[in-house]
Amino acid sequence: MDCRTLRELVRDLLCSAYFETRFERGDPRTISVTEVTQCLRYSWFARREPKCIPQVVTLLLGVEGHKLFLSKLQSYGFITEKLVAERRDGVKLVGRCDAWHPDLDVVVEFKTCRKVPPEPYDDHVFQARIYAELLRARNIFIVYVAREMPYDVKVFSVSPKHVLDKAFERAKILSRCLEKAEIPPRDRGRWCRYCPYSFECAKYGDGRRS
């Protein structure tokens, strides 16, 4: 084995580990909460043409740190990485809530970022509300932790809202597009700048095409 071969092996292993951090996504009738709250076109591409993201090392380190940190919450009565699922009209919505305290009626989602935002991002609010509705929790918090010094922490309280209808509407769109090999519309946002499918996405514009 030479340096080049080992380098390529390490790259392959990093990507393989990244793919294992995600839900099994082979069934087009099972859609994850993450797929629903992010750009549907990205979710569609990620199913059909899985790509390793540029920030894979940061993500993997974050996943392991995230799990270790969440485990510390268990001594305070939180159930961490709580699996949730609900089915409607043949489509199953699945997810993993960061932290849920059944006695305190609380759902908490943790997000790491380069810089703490002044307000929670809409997709994060949507995600937290989905978990709260599935778990019937009335208190919702989103916690942002900056990855860089001085490790700023900011907590946002989010009001509960009925969002499952919207979540399932998006889940059904993605499920149908996956089954019909029809690309869904894109959701423009801050993620476009770092999207590994930006070139492919641009070819389709904003509409749907098979």
Side-chain angles (χ1 to χ4, degrees):
M1 177 179 286
D2 55 22
C3 292
R4 180 177 179 180
T5 302
L6 183 56
R7 181 183 63 185
E8 293 305 314
L9 174 61
V10 170
R11 286 177 172 174
D12 289 344
L13 290 176
L14 285 171
C15 291
S16 177
Y18 162 67
F19 292 133
E20 287 185 16
T21 66
R22 309 188 307 163
F23 272 105
E24 173 61 41
R25 295 175 178 177
D27 181 4
R29 306 294 285 177
T30 298
I31 306 296
S32 75
V33 171
T34 298
E35 288 180 306
V36 162
T37 56
Q38 66 191 10
C39 172
L40 291 185
R41 184 172 293 184
Y42 173 86
S43 298
W44 185 85
F45 272 123
R47 290 260 193 148
R48 291 169 59 88
E49 305 171 26
K51 280 188 179 182
C52 203
I53 60 175
Q55 59 273 32
V56 60
V57 175
T58 300
L59 183 141
L60 287 175
L61 292 174
V63 166
E64 290 308 308
H66 193 68
K67 288 182 178 180
L68 178 60
F69 170 74
L70 289 180
S71 70
K72 303 298 182 183
L73 285 173
Q74 294 172 9
S75 61
Y76 293 91
F78 282 93
I79 298 173
T80 58
E81 297 191 300
K82 170 66 176 176
L83 294 175
V84 294
E86 185 166 320
R87 187 184 298 274
R88 290 188 188 180
D89 302 323
V91 173
K92 186 178 182 181
L93 183 66
V94 298
R96 186 183 290 114
C97 176
D98 281 347
W100 171 54
H101 199 305
D103 297 329
L104 298 179
D105 208 16
V106 169
V107 156
V108 186
E109 281 293 297
F110 293 90
K111 304 294 181 183
T112 57
C113 52
R114 186 182 63 82
K115 184 178 180 181
V116 172
E119 297 293 335
Y121 293 119
D122 290 343
D123 52 309
H124 294 165
V125 172
F126 186 23
Q127 182 185 47
R129 282 173 168 163
I130 291 173
Y131 290 138
E133 190 167 355
L134 288 172
L135 292 167
R136 296 176 175 79
R138 292 175 295 178
N139 302 293
I140 310 170
F141 297 97
I142 300 176
V143 181
Y144 287 92
V145 181
R147 289 189 295 267
E148 302 174 1
M149 291 286 286
Y151 305 120
D152 190 19
V153 176
K154 194 168 185 178
V155 179
F156 295 96
S157 176
V158 175
S159 61
K161 185 178 180 180
H162 179 66
V163 294
L164 277 184
D165 288 348
K166 177 183 177 181
F168 271 100
E169 179 183 348
R170 288 175 62 81
K172 291 174 186 176
I173 290 173
L174 179 57
S175 176
R176 183 171 62 250
C177 287
L178 287 169
E179 290 184 327
K180 295 184 176 181
E182 179 182 85
I183 194 166
R186 61 184 169 189
D187 300 299
R188 292 183 179 273
R190 68 186 189 284
W191 45 77
C192 292
R193 181 179 177 184
Y194 307 102
C195 180
Y197 302 103
S198 57
F199 179 76
E200 295 91 332
C201 178
K203 294 191 297 184
Y204 292 95
D206 291 320
R208 296 184 189 176
R209 283 166 50 189
S210 57

